[in-house]
Amino acid sequence: MCGISGFVNIKGSADISSCISMIQATLSARGPDESGSYTSEHATLIHTRLAVIDVENGKQPMSYNDQGMIYTIVYNGELYNTQEIKDELKKSNETFATKSDTEVVLKAYIKWGRMCVNKFNGIFAFAIWCDQTQTLFFARDRIGVKPLFFSLANNGFAFASEIKALLNMPFIKPIADTTSICELFLIGPGRTPGKTAFCNISEIKPGHCGFFDKNGLTQFCYWTVKDKPHTDSFEQTCEKVRYLVTDSIKRQLVSDVPIGTFLSGGLDSSLISSVASRHFKERGKKLKTFSISYKDNDIYFKKSKFQPNSDDSYINIMADYLDSDHTTFYVDTPQLTSALYAAVDARDLPGMADVDASLLLFCKEIKKHVTVALSGECADEIFGGYPWYRDSEIRSRYGFPWSQSTLYRSDFLREDLKKKINAESYVNEKYNRSIYQASKLECLSPLEQRMREMVYLNMYWFMQTLLDRKDRMSMYSGLEVRVPFCDHRIAEYLYSTPWEFKDYKHYEKGLLRNAMKDYLPDEILWRKKSPYPKTHNPSYLAAVSEILIRILNNPKSRILEVINKEKCFQLLSDDRQQPWYGQLMTTPQTIAYLIQLDYWLEKYNVELKL
């Protein structure tokens, strides 16, 4: 993986030489191994590299002269079907100087133009500049695993893997307006597709590509999930799921550097680890697996509807079953609270509080052992594992199922801001538009139609928050994390799969369990879903409460410009477990989110135009 950035100005100079080194330094965590740049009159491309495939020869920016037309690419990602595309290009007498997928992406674009993205199986964000036509082509992977932000600034098009790189360009300022406040307080830590909390910075949406040229900016949606008749029997569906899941995992085990897997003891990471372990053993190797736990969680853990049991014993069962080289990292409250700030630095926005912070710490430790790791994100969204898929009452409620708290959230706003914003209208418009966009066959039952809506909502909203989190927290330490369940073939196939199949034996992800049953011991295979682990230590609530009190009592705190101080003090005193976002963000995480928001306003020197 890598960091990319650039600036194109067709009508004037694209000279940003004064800030190239700053941008590279900003993106150095994403690409600690090498850096490079390309400059011409109308374009500057910037790259930092994390070397994973063809370590010696995959340097970027990479250029190629095709009959006098010079194309230059900066690329962040991995293709998992590199060889198939290379073989197809070789049939047209194309030759290759490297083993890197960067060269394959570049030559695929030269051969097929913007249609090249339809051939790619992978996670990527890239830009290709042609100086002769003065055209920049850019693309982002179908699911949205790799980020690509942009700003139409200074008469041109600026882009980058991370927001902080854009803010290093002198003509892009950190500005937030009332819409930004809506995003932070009513949607956050999620984001409306294509938006950020900076009103002058946007994001290329998943499955989109486009051009910037003399005609300005043009974008195309080249992929989205579409409903179609599902004609396979349950047995055939299981067979297809088994093939797709195992094929995706095996494809993503290709690496020229050390590789391992996350292992939580839950279904998804255990399946990935099991397939990977068998793959490694066939080659005479032992898989490295990694887990995170929290100091004194064995003392303070409390069962809940969403978290019925602790992970530790299941991790041990799975590590023994795999005979893996296993490492567990333990995190304590002082580390978690301290890392809240680094997590904002990594995401460039307030995030999922200690859920982000713990992952950042976890990835930092994993990077000491491997450069690439596989993780189980997105199986719940695609296979229907969350409680809001399964509980008929929650499922039928109007609104985003992970955030049924619009009025509660808006209560934290300063009164004059609250009056400017119609909170319910803002959120409802986003929800209604997504429901309308969800592809549904007319012949479906009401239940099946609702399940299509639920999958669509989860893929393009909730899942994006988790993918943001995974990318930024891992790349902060130069760790490449791959997500096999995000293979677009799995998403396409499962979108139209009947709910009665997914709900096999009324188990969460019952279809996935049945399809992969010989890969896991029964204790893991039929274990009730448990989400990403978080601390249950009361010392964490005490610590973040103390920090927020200091912030609220400091008249210079930036957060006082937007929040209702009394409501925040009430949050500290009330014993109200109102979820802020999903299953994991309750009162301690809401407090921590406000801490992150204050830090973000101060650290990024955000100019508020309210």
Side-chain angles (χ1 to χ4, degrees):
M1 294 302 165
C2 307
I4 66 172
S5 186
F7 179 60
V8 173
N9 184 351
I10 306 299
K11 298 177 181 178
S13 171
D15 181 13
I16 55 169
S17 55
S18 62
C19 59
I20 289 176
S21 60
M22 287 190 298
I23 291 171
Q24 288 172 330
T26 296
L27 294 173
S28 62
R30 296 187 74 91
D33 297 327
E34 292 175 334
S35 62
S37 63
Y38 163 93
T39 58
S40 68
E41 182 182 358
H42 298 293
T44 296
L45 304 181
I46 300 166
H47 190 263
T48 62
R49 185 183 182 211
L50 175 66
V52 173
I53 302 292
D54 198 357
V55 174
E56 294 298 320
N57 300 308
K59 295 176 172 32
Q60 296 184 49
M62 181 182 288
S63 296
Y64 184 71
N65 188 329
D66 181 61
Q67 299 178 347
M69 306 286 279
I70 300 173
Y71 299 87
T72 304
I73 186 172
V74 282
Y75 168 74
N76 167 32
E78 295 289 347
L79 286 192
Y80 305 128
N81 63 338
T82 299
Q83 193 58 51
E84 291 98 316
I85 298 171
K86 185 180 284 190
D87 290 343
E88 189 173 353
L89 288 167
K90 283 180 177 178
K91 292 176 182 176
S92 301
N93 298 317
E94 189 60 74
T95 58
F96 294 86
T98 73
K99 294 188 298 179
S100 74
D101 52 351
T102 307
E103 184 181 10
V104 172
V105 171
L106 178 59
K107 292 184 175 177
Y109 172 71
I110 294 169
K111 173 73 175 176
W112 296 301
R114 72 179 177 93
M115 303 307 291
C116 67
V117 291
N118 295 306
K119 295 181 177 286
F120 298 157
N121 179 334
I123 54 177
F124 54 80
F126 66 87
I128 299 174
W129 168 254
C130 179
D131 209 43
Q132 286 67 38
T133 63
Q134 294 187 16
T135 300
L136 183 82
F137 175 73
F138 55 85
R140 191 172 176 215
D141 66 73
R142 292 172 177 85
I143 303 292
V145 179
K146 290 290 114 182
L148 187 58
F149 297 96
F150 74 94
S151 181
L152 294 170
N154 202 34
N155 299 313
F157 178 82
F159 65 91
S161 297
E162 295 184 4
I163 292 170
K164 61 174 67 70
L166 291 175
L167 294 175
N168 268 326
M169 298 184 189
F171 43 81
I172 301 177
K173 305 300 181 184
I175 303 171
D177 59 10
T178 52
T179 299
S180 306
I181 297 302
C182 287
E183 288 291 308
L184 289 163
F185 278 87
L186 307 180
I187 304 294
R191 289 190 284 115
T192 298
K195 282 188 175 292
T196 77
F198 295 98
C199 60
N200 53 340
I201 297 174
S202 303
E203 186 175 25
I204 303 300
K205 295 178 184 178
H208 280 64
C209 63
F211 295 95
F212 186 79
D213 55 22
K214 64 182 181 181
N215 299 313
L217 176 65
T218 307
Q219 295 190 61
F220 308 91
C221 177
Y222 70 88
W223 184 88
T224 187
V225 284
K226 292 183 179 178
D227 202 9
K228 56 188 177 182
H230 188 90
T231 57
D232 290 346
S233 67
F234 179 74
E235 290 72 22
Q236 290 169 327
T237 301
C238 287
E239 185 178 343
K240 185 71 174 286
V241 166
R242 182 184 177 88
Y243 165 74
L244 289 173
V245 170
T246 54
D247 184 67
S248 177
I249 296 168
K250 289 175 181 177
R251 283 177 182 269
Q252 297 189 30
L253 290 170
V254 176
S255 173
D256 292 339
V257 294
I259 189 168
T261 65
F262 286 48
L263 182 62
S264 70
L267 177 69
D268 310 327
S269 66
S270 296
L271 278 176
I272 291 171
S273 297
S274 185
V275 174
S277 179
R278 293 188 189 187
H279 181 84
F280 270 56
K281 286 177 180 177
E282 288 170 1
R283 287 152 183 77
K285 299 178 181 178
K286 180 177 278 198
L287 177 69
K288 293 181 182 292
T289 55
F290 304 94
S291 302
I292 185 170
S293 191
Y294 300 86
K295 186 179 178 183
D296 294 334
N297 252 15
D298 55 333
I299 300 172
Y300 296 110
F301 178 81
K302 293 180 181 178
K303 281 187 177 184
S304 71
K305 179 178 180 180
F306 297 133
Q307 200 145 17
N309 42 48
S310 183
D311 286 335
D312 291 359
S313 61
Y314 294 95
I315 290 170
N316 294 333
I317 290 170
M318 199 61 208
D320 290 343
Y321 177 81
L322 297 173
D323 187 29
S324 61
D325 180 2
H326 185 72
T327 305
T328 297
F329 303 109
Y330 290 88
V331 180
D332 199 4
T333 291
Q335 296 167 283
L336 276 179
T337 53
S338 176
L340 284 173
Y341 309 105
V344 176
D345 295 340
R347 198 191 269 261
D348 296 320
L349 294 166
M352 296 184 74
D354 56 284
V355 184
D356 278 7
S358 61
L359 182 61
L360 182 142
L361 294 168
F362 188 27
C363 290
K364 181 180 179 180
E365 293 299 321
I366 293 174
K367 181 58 192 285
K368 295 175 182 178
H369 301 262
V370 298
T371 304
V372 178
L374 273 61
S375 181
E377 267 79 7
C378 306
D380 285 303
E381 289 84 354
I382 291 169
F383 285 90
Y386 289 124
W388 49 74
Y389 280 105
R390 314 189 49 74
D391 185 310
S392 59
E393 181 185 347
I394 299 174
R395 187 171 62 215
S396 63
R397 285 179 194 159
Y398 179 84
F400 295 113
W402 52 85
S403 182
Q404 297 274 315
S405 55
T406 300
L407 294 179
Y408 171 70
R409 286 162 164 259
S410 65
D411 254 358
F412 289 100
L413 287 171
R414 208 175 62 193
E415 281 302 318
D416 60 325
L417 271 176
K418 190 176 175 182
K419 289 176 182 177
K420 279 186 182 181
I421 293 166
N422 187 328
E424 288 192 287
S425 176
Y426 187 86
V427 174
N428 291 348
E429 189 275 332
K430 310 291 183 188
Y431 174 78
N432 290 334
R433 184 186 301 178
S434 293
I435 292 299
Y436 175 77
Q437 291 172 338
S439 176
K440 294 169 284 189
L441 294 175
E442 291 183 1
C443 61
L444 296 178
S445 69
L447 172 61
E448 288 295 338
Q449 288 195 16
R450 182 56 177 164
M451 298 317 298
R452 300 298 186 277
E453 293 171 354
M454 293 292 284
V455 174
Y456 189 91
L457 286 170
N458 276 268
M459 279 190 61
Y460 289 101
W461 287 86
F462 192 76
M463 192 167 89
Q464 297 306 313
T465 309
L466 299 185
L467 291 175
D468 272 357
R469 166 181 174 261
K470 181 66 70 169
D471 175 81
R472 247 60 103 233
M473 298 309 119
S474 59
M475 295 306 292
Y476 189 75
S477 294
L479 176 72
E480 176 188 323
V481 176
R482 299 173 179 175
V483 277
F485 287 111
C486 277
D487 189 306
H488 71 276
R489 299 170 301 163
I490 299 174
E492 285 176 343
Y493 187 70
L494 267 296
Y495 185 74
S496 300
T497 300
W499 176 245
E500 65 176 308
F501 287 8
K502 295 180 184 177
D503 193 37
Y504 176 71
K505 288 189 175 181
H506 303 296
Y507 271 93
E508 311 103 334
K509 296 172 287 190
L511 170 60
L512 179 62
R513 295 175 195 266
N514 189 66
M516 304 295 292
K517 57 189 174 185
D518 60 332
Y519 274 93
L520 299 173
D522 283 348
E523 303 98 307
I524 304 296
L525 182 66
W526 301 110
R527 180 192 175 192
K528 187 169 177 59
K529 173 180 167 50
S530 191
Y532 178 84
K534 69 175 184 178
T535 182
H536 295 269
N537 195 325
S539 67
Y540 182 73
L541 175 58
V544 293
S545 297
E546 183 180 336
I547 295 170
L548 185 57
I549 289 169
R550 288 203 304 267
I551 291 171
L552 296 175
N553 285 329
N554 180 359
K556 295 182 179 179
S557 294
R558 289 293 314 272
I559 197 173
L560 298 179
E561 298 172 40
V562 294
I563 56 97
N564 182 319
K565 186 174 178 180
E566 288 70 29
K567 291 291 183 181
C568 290
F569 273 119
Q570 190 176 332
L571 172 69
L572 293 166
S573 60
D574 283 0
D575 185 19
R576 179 183 177 185
Q577 289 296 305
Q578 170 71 53
W580 180 269
Y581 190 84
Q583 308 162 52
L584 296 175
M585 292 188 71
T586 53
T587 297
Q589 290 72 37
T590 305
I591 293 168
Y593 183 77
L594 294 172
I595 293 168
Q596 288 190 317
L597 177 58
D598 179 70
Y599 174 77
W600 174 75
L601 288 165
E602 177 70 31
K603 172 70 183 287
Y604 286 77
N605 194 24
V606 180
E607 180 184 350
L608 293 174
K609 292 189 174 182
L610 308 176

